Every structure is written in structure tokens, then in C-alpha cells.
Amino acid sequence: MHRALTLTRRRIVSSIPVLLIVIIGTFLLLEAAPGDAVDAYLLSLGGGDAGLVAELRQSYGLDQSLVKRLTLYVGALLRFDLGWSVAFDRPVLDLIAERLPNTLWLMGAATALAFSLGSLLGIVAGARPGSLTDRALSIGSLALYAVPSFWLGLVLVLVFAVDLRWFPTAGIETIASGNTGLARVADIAWHLVLPVSALGFIYLALFLRMMRTGMAEAWRQDFVLSARAKGLARRRIVLRHVARNALLPLVTMLGLQAAAMLGGSVVVESVFAIPGFGRLAHEAVSGRDAPLLTGIIIVSAVLVIVVNLLVDIAYAALDPRVGSGEASS
């Protein structure tokens, strides 16, 4: 327990400079981009006079210097104030709090699907390297990994939603259904089957191949050869020795894939019309809404940092050697 707390403290401290770099870098990059939310707003109106432009820029603080705006923004972040969305005319924090849970549902379910099923199939493939099952799963995973998520999503919609009518075509839940409690959870789960499959199957192939490769390497290790020499049952060797050691790289990959899966949710949410974090980012870019886009990037960075922290703790629990040096230093 003490080792886990020490590891958590060190990871949080080391994440502060990373977060500052993300905040400052994002702010400066968006400032360097041509146009802003006021320009996009005036374009939607068909133009405006100089007085209206000056009034809008003053109301949103765009008439101040870059250094002053950056200072004010960092100060606001310390108060958990992400600013005001120009495109939606609402606080950025409210918009993110409204959309983020939908994306977390999608990412969490897709990650669970990819990791659990990918690990299981990887164990099946790596249990007997070179067998027909191993080759079939390896070829299938390679083909699945090459499929774009948007194409897979469209195929799933056409087959299972349009033709077979087993699942809804879009949305996160039935509109105006009035469901509460378990009924609402079941309705959301029903709507997420196809989006989760479209996002999770791509990473399932990655976890499968990694698990299979790790097991192939573990079979050549001395401790496995020693277990086989002792006459242990093959199933016990596979589950207790080979698979357990091959699982560690997959846990590390969970943290690395968090950012990629968050980016992939943009495409999946667009295909299935899910009002999530990814679609919000797309709308922020379309509307040149710099405060909203900056808030989305910062929250995304925090989310990735938290996921990697949880992965580090899980890795330390699986391998006692991890973090022991940090705890004693």
C-alpha cells in the first residue's frame, strides 16, 4: 500500500510539468492559427461592421495582449474555470461535463472488450505456437487491424442496424424514453453495442498480436523450460507462467492506447451520431472556438495522465519489482 501511494505521488508530481507544457503549447498554437471564433461567428451571420467586431472581441477578451490572456487563462484554470464557449455561448466546463460521460462509456466498454477478448484469443493463439489456430488468429487479427474504424462502423450499421434491425442506428439512448435506473443503463448499453464493437475490434487485434508475441517469447524462457522439465501440466504452464508474464506488456499498452482510443472516438461518435467528447472537439474546430478546444485538449491530457497512473499502479501490483526502487529512494 505504501509503495502504491509513493508511486502515485511521484507520478502526479512528474505530470505537472507535462500538463503545463500542454496548456501553454495549446494556447500558443491556437493563437497562431488564422481566424478565431469571432470570425467564424461573423461568417455565419454573413458579415458585420467594424463596431460589432470590436464589441465581440472586447467581450471575449480577444483585444488584450497574448501574454495577458495567457496569464488570465492559467489563473482561471487554477480556479477550475475553463472559460466561455463562443460557439455555444455556455461555460466550457458545463459542455465538457455534459459530453464527457458518453465518451467514457464508449472508451471504457471498448477498452474492456479489446483487452479481455484480445488477451483471451492471444492466449489461445500462443498456447501452441505455429498451430493452425495460431495462424488463423494471427491472419485474422492482422486483417482486422488494417480495417479503418469508420468503415467498420458503417458496415456494422448497414448489416445489424439497417438490414437486420437488431440495434439502433445512432444515438446514445432512446430520445424522450423517460428511462431511469437499470432501464436507462440497459438502453444505453443497447445503443453502445455497435459503436463499442467498431472501436474495440481494432484494438482487440493489437492486444491479440501482442499477447501472442509475448507468449511466444515466454516459451523460450528458462523458468518455462524448468516448469516443463518438472512435468507440470501444459494448461498450468500456459496460465500460471507463460500467460502471466506475457500479460505485463499488454497492461503497459493500455496506457499508451488511451490517447489513441480517445482520438478514435471522434470518428466513431461521428458515424453513430453520439453526442460525446469527440464530436464536441469536431464542433469546436469547425466553429474556431479556441476556449472550448483548449479546454477539450486540457481535459484530454488530464484523462490520459490519469489512465497512465492507473496502469502504473496495476503494473506495480502485477510485478512487485516495479516501483520498489522509487519507494525506497
Side-chain angles (χ1 to χ4, degrees):
M1 185 65 178
H2 175 70
R3 184 164 58 91
L5 291 176
T6 302
L7 180 63
T8 301
R9 176 175 56 84
R10 289 181 177 272
R11 290 293 185 268
I12 292 176
V13 171
S14 63
S15 298
I16 294 177
V18 176
L19 197 56
L20 286 175
I21 292 174
V22 170
I23 293 172
I24 297 175
T26 302
F27 191 90
L28 294 178
L29 285 175
L30 291 178
E31 286 295 326
D36 53 28
V38 173
D39 295 329
Y41 177 70
L42 293 175
L43 183 63
S44 65
L45 294 178
D49 56 22
L52 177 60
V53 173
E55 181 180 352
L56 289 174
R57 293 191 180 279
Q58 183 179 8
S59 62
Y60 291 110
L62 297 176
D63 58 335
Q64 299 174 352
S65 66
L66 176 63
V67 175
K68 185 174 182 180
R69 278 185 284 133
L70 178 58
T71 304
L72 292 175
Y73 187 74
V74 174
L77 287 178
L78 296 176
R79 303 189 302 270
F80 297 98
D81 180 9
L82 297 180
W84 191 269
S85 170
V86 181
F88 290 89
D89 197 24
R90 291 179 57 190
V92 172
L93 188 59
D94 290 351
L95 288 169
I96 293 177
E98 183 181 286
R99 300 286 191 95
L100 184 58
N102 295 335
T103 298
L104 292 180
W105 275 100
L106 175 62
M107 286 182 57
T111 301
L113 171 67
F115 185 81
S116 59
L117 191 54
S119 301
L120 179 60
L121 293 177
I123 292 174
V124 173
R128 296 185 180 276
S131 64
L132 180 61
T133 302
D134 176 29
R135 294 179 182 179
L137 288 174
S138 298
I139 294 174
S141 64
L142 183 61
L144 187 60
Y145 188 67
V147 174
S149 58
F150 73 90
W151 184 86
L152 180 59
L154 291 174
V155 170
L156 291 175
V157 168
L158 290 175
V159 175
F160 295 100
V162 177
D163 292 340
L164 299 177
R165 299 183 182 274
W166 288 356
F167 301 101
T169 57
I172 189 69
E173 60 182 315
T174 304
I175 299 176
S177 62
N179 292 328
T180 58
L182 292 178
R184 188 186 180 198
V185 173
D187 184 51
I188 293 176
W190 183 50
H191 280 75
L192 283 178
V193 170
L194 296 184
V196 166
S197 300
L199 183 60
F201 280 168
I202 306 299
Y203 297 97
L204 179 152
L206 177 63
F207 287 124
L208 189 158
R209 294 184 64 82
M210 284 194 62
M211 188 68 180
R212 189 266 174 199
T213 302
M215 290 188 66
E217 294 178 355
W219 276 114
R220 298 190 292 267
Q221 300 298 319
D222 293 338
F223 65 89
V224 175
L225 297 176
S226 176
R228 296 178 67 179
K230 291 178 181 179
L232 296 180
R234 186 178 183 87
R235 169 180 280 187
R236 183 176 180 182
I237 295 175
V238 169
L239 297 179
R240 294 288 300 274
H241 299 280
V242 180
R244 184 174 181 179
N245 284 272
L247 188 64
L248 293 176
L250 267 72
V251 176
T252 303
M253 184 58 64
L254 277 175
L256 298 177
Q257 291 299 320
M261 189 166 286
L262 186 60
S265 66
V266 177
V267 178
V268 173
E269 287 174 5
S270 299
V271 171
F272 291 93
I274 297 177
F277 205 51
R279 285 192 67 194
L280 185 64
H282 180 267
E283 292 166 0
V285 172
S286 301
R288 299 182 184 178
D289 195 340
L292 178 57
L293 188 57
T294 305
I296 289 172
I297 294 175
I298 292 173
V299 173
S300 300
V302 172
L303 185 61
V304 172
I305 289 173
V306 171
V307 170
N308 279 273
L309 174 61
L310 296 176
V311 168
D312 287 341
I313 294 174
Y315 198 100
L318 291 173
D319 189 349
R321 296 170 299 179
V322 178
S324 57
E326 294 181 1
S328 61
S329 60

